Amino acid sequence: MKKLLLFVIIFPLFNSLSAQNLKTFINYNTFCTDKLEPYVELTFLINGRSVNYVLNENQKYQAEIEIKVEFQKDDSVVNNLHYIILSDEYQDTILANKQNFADIQNVKLPNGKYFLNFEIKDLHNPENPVKYIDNLEVYFPENKVSSSGIQLLREIKPANENDFFIKYGYSMPPLYDDYIPERMEILPYMTEIYNTDKVLGENNQFLVKSHIENYGNQYNYFTPISVFNEFKSAPITVFVNQLDIKSLPSGNYNLVVELMTSDSTVLAYNSIFFQRSNPKIQLEISNF
């Protein structure tokens, strides 16, 4: 799943990967710091029932997952990530009790085109590592409006001390794939917007339009879903929103976010693909 953005070119991925027993989800996207320095945020979610547990020095059972990521540019390694994720400790090895475990890492990368090389290995079953490759292009212009990639979320709620996926004071766990089941009637999402103060001047109004568009569904009629939000220009604007999709029929769609001036001049455009399953909504032939 690769979506080309106009001013920020990102490839947000939500992938489930496995190599026999080991199952892991990878979610990565590109953002900027408050100094507008680009970085890649990587989230790894490990299926707790797919890994091997051994006794540690505390005489408890624990899994160890090795993460390796290389960021290559022009056949040279520009940056890399290499560390170990530890599971919780358990008194026994009953698989039914094992919880998923996750980790988030940020890696700074200057603007450019990169080749990403992933290797994820269960250190207690090293013969079957998960390997994955992809391309990534990062482009945050200094004097143009741009945005991070759109992050689809499972939910948005006030954070507490036990939450892992905390941003801006809220718990916002990512949606790790592009499949949205029937039980999800609300689609939460977020993105960050940069440089509107440089382009529009300080404290000037701009609009964020969010809408869902058809993606390759030949016979799919649905009521348009579109919302506008108004903001004042700033170095960084955090945009967190959600759309009501309980009446959205099954099919393939794009969630589109457009940034525009008050006179509807488009400043930047961003989209992300998702697949909706909603069998309770039956399409009428008269709508075609």
Side-chain angles (χ1 to χ4, degrees), residues 32-77:
C32 274
T33 67
D34 56 358
K35 297 180 180 179
L36 298 180
E37 300 169 322
Y39 68 92
V40 180
E41 180 184 87
L42 303 102
T43 304
F44 302 92
L45 179 67
I46 310 300
N47 185 315
R49 298 185 182 185
S50 71
V51 295
N52 294 274
Y53 295 82
V54 300
L55 280 173
N56 61 17
E57 59 184 12
N58 298 325
Q59 295 303 301
K60 294 184 178 181
Y61 289 92
Q62 190 172 43
E64 298 178 282
I65 304 301
E66 182 182 55
I67 303 291
K68 291 183 180 179
V69 186
E70 288 187 344
F71 302 86
Q72 300 178 9
K73 183 179 180 181
D74 300 327
D75 298 324
S76 299
V77 177

Side-chain angles (χ1 to χ4, degrees), residues 243-255:
L243 297 177
D244 186 340
I245 59 169
K246 61 177 173 288
S247 298
L248 186 67
S250 299
N252 297 326
Y253 300 93
N254 283 332
L255 169 61

Side-chain angles (χ1 to χ4, degrees), residues 172-186:
M172 299 195 301
L175 193 66
Y176 274 93
D177 54 35
D178 54 23
Y179 176 78
I180 301 178
E182 180 181 6
R183 67 176 180 274
M184 282 187 64
E185 297 185 342
I186 299 295

Side-chain angles (χ1 to χ4, degrees), residues 153-165:
L153 305 170
R154 293 206 311 268
E155 62 179 353
I156 303 172
K157 64 179 183 180
N160 61 55
E161 61 181 11
N162 296 321
D163 289 325
F164 182 77
F165 301 101

Side-chain angles (χ1 to χ4, degrees), residues 4 6 12 17 20 28 34 47 63 115 139 157 167 186 205 213 221 231 244 252 255 279:
L4 182 66
L6 182 60
L17 309 175
Q20 290 191 7
Y28 51 99
D34 56 358
N47 185 315
F115 176 80
Y139 179 53
K157 64 179 183 180
K167 274 190 173 184
I186 299 295
Q205 176 184 300
E213 66 179 16
Y221 174 87
F231 294 92
D244 186 340
N252 297 326
L255 169 61

Side-chain angles (χ1 to χ4, degrees), residues 208-235:
V208 179
K209 177 186 177 183
S210 305
H211 68 275
I212 292 176
E213 66 179 16
N214 188 3
Y215 183 86
N217 304 307
Q218 187 176 4
Y219 303 111
N220 195 349
Y221 174 87
F222 65 99
T223 303
I225 300 173
S226 181
V227 296
F228 286 85
N229 297 89
E230 182 179 311
F231 294 92
K232 292 292 186 179
S233 57

Side-chain angles (χ1 to χ4, degrees), residues 36 141-146 193-199 234-235:
L36 298 180
E142 293 184 0
N143 297 306
K144 293 182 180 180
V145 174
S146 60
I193 302 164
Y194 310 109
N195 284 339
T196 53
D197 60 329
K198 291 183 179 179
V199 175

